[in-house]
């Protein structure tokens, strides 16, 4: 019984930081240090270390000599991730279509409206936030739990890649247009069209990444 409070805090810290990672609140510039997190939760370092090690074992973080960070992906690994996304996300989104609630559709509608406004403002941070809300809403409606958790895990790992591709002006209009079309397909419960649109969305992101990589000094 004496271990219950520690176990409870370990789980609470794990869930808190898992959520922050999945929502994009932790970036590649952030270093998670156990002493700082222990102060945040007013606990010893032990439950913090347990939570951070669990996140590391699950692939959300990697351990360094100066704390825990998001995993660093190499070029080939990023291309492999895009292939994985093409294989999993279109089908997952199709499965989610029938499960979306009216509240989910309202969330999607509001997020797409924010996405559309970025065409005028050019606010990449707002586009990223809207894209994350759209993505997370349909992913959480995927009925296959293992499929859902797999997507959440690798999407957390490639957040920086997504932010870079969203900064690609050439892709901006394409992505917003796909947001609009996906909303219409979700609202009409057209799973086949959702599947096609998600495939196009992933291809657009990959094309943007390759274009940006080609423009860089090491492309």
């Amino acid at each position: 019984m004496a271990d219950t409070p520690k176990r409870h805090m370990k789980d609470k810290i794990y869930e808190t930081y898992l959520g922050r990672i999945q929502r994009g609140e932790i970036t590649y510039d952030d270093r998670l240090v156990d002493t700082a997190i222990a102060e945040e939760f007013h606990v010893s370092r032990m439950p913090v270390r347990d939570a951070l090690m669990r996140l590391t074992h699950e692939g959300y973080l990697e351990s360094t000599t100066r704390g825990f960070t998001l995993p660093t992906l190499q070029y080939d690994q990023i291309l492999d991730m895009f292939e994985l996304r093409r294989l999993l996300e279109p089908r997952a989104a199709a499965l989610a279509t029938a499960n979306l609630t009216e509240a989910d559709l309202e969330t999607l509608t509001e997020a797409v409206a924010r996405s559309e406004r970025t065409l005028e403002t050019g606010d990449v941070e707002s586009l990223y936030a809207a894209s994350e809300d759209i993505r997370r809403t349909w992913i959480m409606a995927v009925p296959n739990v293992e499929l859902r958790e797999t997507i959440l895990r690798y999407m957390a790992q490639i957040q920086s890649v997504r932010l870079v591709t969203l900064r690609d002006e050439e892709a901006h209009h394409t992505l917003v247009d796909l947001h609009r079309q996906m909303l219409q397909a979700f609202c009409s419960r057209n799973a086949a069209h959702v599947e096609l649109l998600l495939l196009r969305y992933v291809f657009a992101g990959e094309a943007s990444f390759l274009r940006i990589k080609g423009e860089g000094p090491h492309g």
Side-chain angles (χ1 to χ4, degrees), residues 161-217:
V161 177
R162 298 186 68 245
L163 186 55
V164 167
T165 59
L166 289 174
R167 293 185 187 279
D168 180 15
E169 186 174 349
E170 186 173 338
H172 193 153
H173 284 76
T174 298
L175 296 178
V176 173
D177 183 56
L178 286 169
H179 283 162
R180 291 192 192 106
Q181 293 185 58
M182 284 189 286
L183 174 62
Q184 294 172 356
F186 279 132
C187 288
S188 62
R189 309 290 183 177
N190 189 335
H193 195 202
V194 166
E195 188 164 357
L196 175 61
L197 290 171
L198 255 294
L199 182 60
R200 289 176 55 194
Y201 191 85
V202 176
F203 270 122
E206 183 175 17
S208 177
F209 170 74
L210 292 172
R211 182 163 55 247
I212 293 170
K213 186 67 177 178
E215 293 173 354

Side-chain angles (χ1 to χ4, degrees), residues 33-45 48:
V33 180
D34 55 6
T35 52
I37 297 173
E39 289 181 8
E40 176 187 355
F41 287 88
H42 306 290
V43 296
S44 69
R45 294 171 58 191
V48 176

Side-chain angles (χ1 to χ4, degrees), residues 42-63:
H42 306 290
V43 296
S44 69
R45 294 171 58 191
M46 186 61 69
V48 176
R49 293 287 300 182
D50 288 343
L52 293 177
M53 288 307 299
R54 179 178 173 187
L55 289 167
T56 300
H57 290 319
E58 293 180 356
Y60 290 106
L61 295 173
E62 64 181 16
S63 178

Side-chain angles (χ1 to χ4, degrees), residues 79-130:
L79 294 184
D80 287 346
M81 286 289 190
F82 274 115
E83 182 176 17
L84 186 62
R85 291 185 63 189
R86 291 196 302 272
L87 291 170
L88 298 184
E89 289 180 42
R91 182 55 183 162
L95 293 173
T97 304
N99 276 10
L100 292 168
T101 65
E102 290 303 315
D104 289 333
L105 295 177
E106 289 178 8
T107 298
L108 289 171
T109 300
E110 191 274 335
V112 171
R114 285 190 283 122
S115 172
E116 291 174 327
R117 286 196 291 272
T118 66
L119 291 175
E120 298 179 1
T121 65
D123 187 343
V124 176
E125 296 296 334
S126 293
L127 177 61
Y128 178 78

